[in-house]
Amino acid sequence: MGAMADRLAVTKGHGTENDFVLVPDLDGALGLSPARAAWLADRRAGLGGDGVIRVVPTERAEESAVRDQAGVARWFMDYRNADGSAAEMCGNGTRVFAEYLRREGLESADEFVIATRAGAKQVRREGGQWTVALGPWRLVDPVTADRDGSDARVHIGDGEPFSALSVDLGNPHTVVALPEGVDLAGLDLGRAPLVRPAPAEGTNVELVRPIGPGHVAMRVHERGVGETRSCGTGACAAAVATSFWAGSLDTGATWRVDVAGGRLTVHLLPGHGVELAGPAVLVADGSVPLALLPD
């Protein structure tokens, strides 16, 4: 049970400093409202995190599309953004979720499948890190992207807009390749970038600076969160977009993606597949009085 009498069990973890509050709900009786998820993620009033992950049996998920994955995945990663809204996927969160399942004995193999709102994802442990197969990516507007090299414009602050590419990895991303002379570290991500055309469900925005062959640096503003130290699916989107601009998609390339919280490795597979590899760390366990949680 996630709830122990009058307290809620919690674990804090991170993947390249993209941090999460994990809430075990092992019989599916607890649930997690948007207000409670937002409180847990609040860095002042609550525990603090870029997101909240409820650990729940797939067969007990609220969404029928998730329950349909129960035949291949025992556990559902019920991921919530810091504002409490539900999200389809989180690459860093997937690895942290896998680490938690292994530590708690809920999974014992080095390779298994977890359920997400973006479909079942296979994870495997290799050399102290986790690799997750994120499945196929797609360009949101391939016709415009092939014709113009971009399909969106991104405004950062009051400056001129940057050209960008929209990439779907189960969740939405808009990737900007910064022009020469624009300082990646100097851009203000204190407020959300303005994306045109505006995606209906919002988007994560990645700002990318090439460093060398197969190597980029990235900053990210995540929808419903703000700037974070890392974004796993965002790193994959950055690798896809940079490969697209270089004309080298589907070549089996491996990319190093430097983020504020460390380094991630992205493998681009033939057939528009992608894998993400990186660390996952569980840093603390505790409990929270249920009386503090909002209704």
Side-chain angles (χ1 to χ4, degrees):
M1 281 283 291
M4 301 179 298
D6 60 348
R7 302 186 71 85
L8 178 72
V10 293
T11 294
K12 186 70 179 288
H14 76 90
T16 50
E17 299 181 8
N18 193 191
D19 60 337
F20 313 98
V21 179
L22 292 96
V23 178
D25 186 12
L26 305 189
D27 60 5
L30 174 68
L32 189 64
S33 69
R36 288 189 169 190
W39 185 89
L40 289 167
D42 192 298
R43 297 192 184 277
R44 294 178 176 84
L47 298 179
D50 294 327
V52 176
I53 300 172
R54 182 172 68 119
V55 183
V56 63
T58 305
E59 63 185 9
R60 297 295 185 95
E62 288 83 359
E63 300 100 320
S64 61
V66 173
R67 292 196 301 272
D68 289 344
Q69 301 169 45
V72 295
R74 293 178 58 202
W75 298 100
F76 167 43
M77 184 183 77
D78 180 8
Y79 183 73
R80 312 298 179 92
N81 294 316
D83 64 359
S85 60
E88 301 91 345
M89 248 297 292
C90 176
N92 289 325
T94 301
R95 300 195 318 279
V96 174
F97 186 77
E99 181 72 12
Y100 180 87
L101 294 179
R102 274 291 303 267
R103 190 195 72 175
E104 295 298 304
L106 302 174
E107 293 284 0
S108 58
D110 286 334
E111 188 168 346
F112 50 90
V113 178
I114 64 175
T116 78
R117 292 187 179 90
K121 307 298 178 185
Q122 189 162 18
V123 297
R124 66 180 184 272
R125 187 166 177 80
E126 297 179 315
Q129 296 193 339
W130 286 95
T131 296
V132 54
L134 293 176
W137 56 265
R138 68 179 182 89
L139 300 182
V140 173
D141 186 354
V143 173
T144 303
D146 285 336
R147 184 189 68 211
D148 301 335
S150 63
D151 63 358
R153 296 289 182 271
V154 174
H155 297 257
I156 307 292
D158 298 323
E160 292 296 314
F162 300 118
S163 298
L165 186 67
S166 305
V167 183
D168 190 306
L169 279 125
N171 59 355
H173 296 271
T174 305
V175 184
V176 174
L178 294 176
E180 289 293 332
V182 176
D183 179 21
L184 174 63
L187 292 170
D188 181 10
L189 288 180
R191 55 176 167 161
L194 182 64
V195 179
R196 292 287 183 264
E201 302 299 324
T203 185
N204 304 299
V205 176
E206 287 78 31
L207 308 177
V208 178
R209 164 72 68 211
I211 294 177
H215 190 189
V216 297
M218 181 188 90
R219 290 176 65 191
V220 58
H221 188 285
E222 295 194 55
R223 60 174 180 166
V225 185
E227 183 174 12
T228 61
R229 301 279 292 172
S230 177
C231 176
T233 53
C236 295
V240 167
T242 306
S243 295
F244 172 81
W245 289 317
S248 59
L249 276 175
D250 289 334
T251 60
T254 295
W255 286 84
R256 292 172 292 164
V257 182
D258 293 341
V259 294
R263 176 174 289 176
L264 295 164
T265 302
V266 177
H267 305 289
L268 298 182
L269 308 177
H272 287 197
V274 63
E275 289 186 336
L276 172 71
V281 183
L282 303 177
V283 297
D285 298 294
S287 64
V288 177
L290 287 173
L292 292 180
L293 296 175
D295 293 332

